[in-house]
């Protein structure tokens, strides 16, 4: 269905507010910027900002929905013969090898990370996003396997650790001033090391049978 004029204007307004806010945050830090400043610069009211972004943290972490269901999407899209872990590792390798912004491999990502490093409220929000993603993945594994045992919880925890460890490594290396292509090569090695540490139960869980 084609996007209507009203929907397009709302989307454009939301994106503009987000872009203005992000520019301020990157320049001055998260805590130093107020919603009122953002509203004035975007030529909208404070209430309009809150209509699009319920909290100040949402202005900076406005793409968190894609993170929450990321691993679940990988699991649901696994190929015939692939386990949940196989699919997650494959997708992460593709993104790392492709030097994808999705995993933080892009110029300027260190500035994004420095903003988070300087704001406790953003760190707290990221923790909540990670917990939401973990619960989402656990639910997906239960649905895919049709079981209610605790193995789904344990496997979800391990796959979340895989993703979190990779992202933490990339973030740290980018903040240290390294080039994305260099970090990509080392991150691929890290993924191999991580896979070696996973047990057989995790590596074989939710393997998709041949149809």
């Amino acid at each position: 269905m084609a996007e209507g004029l009203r929907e397009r204007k709302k989307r454009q307004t939301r994106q503009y507010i987000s872009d203005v806010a992000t520019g301020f945050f990157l320049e001055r830090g998260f805590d130093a910027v107020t919603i009122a400043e953002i509203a004035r610069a975007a030529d909208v009211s404070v209430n309009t900002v809150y209509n699009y972004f319920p909290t100040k943290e949402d202005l900076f972490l406005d793409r968190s929905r894609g993170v929450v269901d990321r691993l679940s999407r990988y699991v649901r899209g696994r190929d015939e013969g692939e386990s949940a872990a196989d699919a997650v590792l494959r997708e992460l390798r593709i993104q790392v090898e492709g030097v994808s912004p999705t995993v933080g491999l892009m110029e300027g990502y260190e500035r994004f990370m420095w903003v988070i490093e300087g704001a406790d409220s953003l760190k707290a929000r990221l923790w909540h996003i990670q917990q939401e993603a973990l619960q989402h993945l656990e639910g997906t594994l239960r649905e895919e396997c049709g079981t209610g045992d605790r193995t789904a919880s344990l496997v979800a925890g391990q796959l979340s650790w895989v993703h979190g460890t990779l992202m933490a490594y990339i973030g740290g290396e980018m903040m240290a001033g390294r080039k994305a292509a260099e970090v990509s090569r080392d991150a691929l090695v890290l993924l191999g090391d991580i896979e070696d540490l996973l047990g057989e139960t995790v590596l074989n869980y939710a393997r998709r049978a041949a149809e």
Side-chain angles (χ1 to χ4, degrees):
M1 185 179 296
E3 183 181 41
L5 178 61
R6 185 169 181 270
E7 288 73 22
R8 182 168 71 253
K9 286 185 174 180
K10 288 177 66 175
R11 175 177 56 79
Q12 290 172 343
T13 298
R14 187 184 192 280
Q15 186 61 56
Y16 183 62
I17 294 170
S18 174
D19 290 345
V20 169
T22 299
F24 280 163
F25 295 146
L26 292 175
E27 180 182 352
R28 294 163 48 198
F30 185 77
D31 293 332
V33 179
T34 67
I35 295 294
E37 289 179 275
I38 294 168
R40 283 195 300 271
D43 197 24
V44 297
S45 69
V46 169
N47 284 340
T48 297
V49 175
Y50 280 121
N51 284 339
Y52 285 102
F53 302 94
T55 71
K56 184 179 173 183
E57 288 74 24
D58 292 326
L59 278 162
F60 192 68
L61 301 171
D62 62 324
R63 294 177 176 83
S64 63
R65 296 313 311 171
V67 175
V68 168
D69 67 355
R70 177 183 292 175
L71 297 186
S72 290
R73 285 187 281 109
Y74 297 165
V75 169
R76 290 196 180 100
R78 69 196 185 280
D79 295 330
E80 181 180 303
E82 274 193 326
S83 67
D86 290 337
V88 168
L89 288 165
R90 172 175 55 79
E91 289 291 340
L92 292 178
R93 282 194 175 98
I94 289 172
Q95 291 169 27
V96 170
E97 191 169 12
V99 195
S100 171
T102 304
V103 289
L105 291 169
M106 64 178 182
E107 183 179 352
Y109 186 67
E110 70 282 358
R111 297 175 64 200
F112 178 85
M113 292 302 298
W114 280 120
V115 173
I116 294 174
E117 189 66 24
D120 289 341
S121 62
L122 287 176
K123 293 178 185 177
R125 174 56 67 86
L126 273 180
W127 183 85
H128 282 288
I129 291 171
Q130 290 163 358
Q131 294 306 302
E132 190 176 355
L134 172 59
Q135 293 170 6
H136 197 288
L137 177 59
E138 180 180 340
T140 296
L141 290 174
R142 290 185 186 281
E143 291 173 6
E144 291 292 305
C145 294
T147 180
D149 65 25
R150 65 179 181 180
T151 305
S153 298
L154 298 174
V155 173
Q158 289 289 289
L159 297 182
S160 295
W161 167 77
V162 170
H163 182 256
T165 299
L166 174 68
M167 294 303 296
Y169 174 78
I170 290 173
E173 294 300 300
M174 295 299 289
M175 288 171 70
R178 298 186 64 198
K179 298 293 185 182
E182 297 174 355
V183 178
S184 169
R185 289 193 293 270
D186 289 344
L188 284 173
V189 175
L190 175 66
L191 279 172
D193 293 340
I194 287 173
E195 183 173 6
D196 289 342
L197 291 175
L198 297 176
E200 290 301 313
T201 298
V202 174
L203 290 172
N204 289 301
Y205 192 76
R207 189 171 296 282
R208 177 158 284 166
E211 296 183 359

